[in-house]
Amino acid sequence: MTGVVLAAAIGALFALGTFLLLRRDLIRVVWGLAIISQAANVYLLTMGGIAPATADSVPVLAGRGEHVPVTADPLVQALVLTAIVIGFGMTAFALVLSYRVYEEHDTLDVTELGDRE
């Protein structure tokens, strides 16, 4: 049941991001990119999965005996955390560039910006 809910949430995030990417407003395009990147992060975390821990995979749990809890792969979590930080930085940069475009052209409509020379 949890897998179905996560798959539906990831699909909804990708669908919403794609919908926003196809809009004419530049701000919505930027938010669409941000949502798609977060959907990819959730997908990676979901695919990382939870596995039974052993003393070899998690050295901190070496003295616990037979009652070792299940753990998630820390490498996937570290990579996704890095991707989140980079994604927030790029979103902030894209929003600042959008503001600059608005100051220069007095519009955020992508079709109007494409028609200008």
Side-chain angles (χ1 to χ4, degrees):
M1 180 67 182
T2 305
V4 174
V5 172
L6 281 172
I10 292 168
L13 283 173
F14 274 115
L16 178 64
T18 304
F19 175 77
L20 289 175
L21 274 178
L22 298 174
R23 301 291 94 198
R24 292 174 58 174
D25 187 23
L26 189 59
I27 300 297
R28 289 185 180 159
V29 170
V30 170
W31 283 115
L33 283 172
I35 289 173
I36 285 179
S37 100
Q38 295 306 316
N41 292 336
V42 173
Y43 173 73
L44 287 174
L45 279 176
T46 303
M47 292 298 109
I50 296 176
T54 62
D56 296 332
S57 64
V58 185
V60 175
L61 301 175
R64 301 230 12 172
E66 292 182 17
H67 301 291
V68 179
V70 295
T71 59
D73 186 11
L75 179 63
V76 175
Q77 293 177 0
L79 292 175
V80 168
L81 180 61
T82 304
I84 289 170
V85 171
I86 292 171
F88 282 147
M90 291 304 296
T91 301
F93 182 66
L95 288 173
V96 168
L97 285 180
S98 300
Y99 179 69
R100 181 71 177 142
V101 165
Y102 179 74
E103 283 184 340
E104 287 287 324
H105 300 288
D106 293 326
T107 186
L108 288 174
D109 192 349
V110 177
T111 56
E112 288 182 23
L113 290 170
D115 294 340
R116 295 181 184 220
E117 294 183 15

